[in-house]
Amino acid sequence: AKLGLSLPDLLVRQISQIAPRMSGRELSTAAWALATAQRREATCGGAYEAASLRDTRHALERCADAGARVMDALSGRDAATIIFALGTAKVKRPAALKALCRRLADPSVDWNGQDVANSCWACASLDADAPRLFSAAAAFVARNASQLEPRGVATLAWSFAK
């Protein structure tokens, strides 16, 4: 069950500070938490101060920038999760997105149907210029069409059409 809590201010500030030292998995996990954190004042009965939207956004930007700097070390899942976090939070970070999409377009990177659909959805939602990502996604679909889940197929169709 979700607790529906906002992120503590001190935790968000710490993520901003240490993002450049985080691993790919840590960056993707933190980015997703920042993108999906509750925006209300649910703070365990006032036990802590909730992070502001501005500070949360800044921490997400720092995670995306750090991910872009270490993109060659990111797994497909971690790169896709950071891209999806940016799309979910509607945070445009063109340079980071371009680098992360370049990582996913690398034929040696392993990614699954959900990663493909989520990444394409995020880039389409952000109106990001990501032709290499969409080319890689089309190649993935050509190899794996029969294995894609219906939701992924629908998401990909929307992403390409947008």
Side-chain angles (χ1 to χ4, degrees):
K2 286 189 167 193
L3 297 176
L5 298 173
S6 57
L7 291 175
D9 179 62
L10 292 174
L11 183 61
V12 169
R13 290 176 189 268
Q14 184 66 12
I15 291 170
S16 287
Q17 288 177 3
I18 67 170
R21 299 190 315 267
M22 289 177 147
S23 70
R25 180 57 43 95
E26 292 163 347
L27 287 167
S28 67
T29 301
W32 185 244
L34 292 161
T36 60
Q38 297 297 316
R39 301 292 185 235
R40 59 180 183 267
E41 297 301 316
T43 60
C44 291
Y48 61 88
E49 183 178 340
S52 70
L53 182 57
R54 181 182 61 83
D55 288 343
T56 302
R57 180 186 176 96
H58 175 72
L60 176 54
E61 291 169 346
R62 297 270 296 167
C63 287
D65 292 346
R69 280 193 297 278
V70 298
M71 69 172 191
D72 290 333
L74 292 177
S75 70
R77 167 61 50 95
D78 292 336
T81 300
I82 295 169
I83 292 169
F84 191 50
L86 291 170
T88 298
K90 299 188 180 5
V91 173
K92 291 189 177 188
R93 208 72 178 158
L97 268 173
K98 184 175 183 176
L100 293 165
C101 288
R102 210 171 38 248
R103 176 66 177 152
L104 289 179
D106 181 334
S108 69
V109 172
D110 186 37
W111 55 339
N112 64 35
Q114 181 178 348
D115 298 335
V116 173
N118 288 349
S119 298
C120 289
W121 172 86
C123 287
S125 295
L126 294 170
D127 294 320
D129 183 28
R132 292 177 69 188
L133 172 69
F134 281 92
S135 292
F140 179 90
V141 169
R143 289 188 312 273
N144 302 286
S146 65
Q147 299 170 11
L148 293 175
E149 297 289 329
R151 183 175 181 175
V153 170
T155 300
L156 282 167
W158 178 87
S159 300
F160 275 87
K162 187 171 182 333

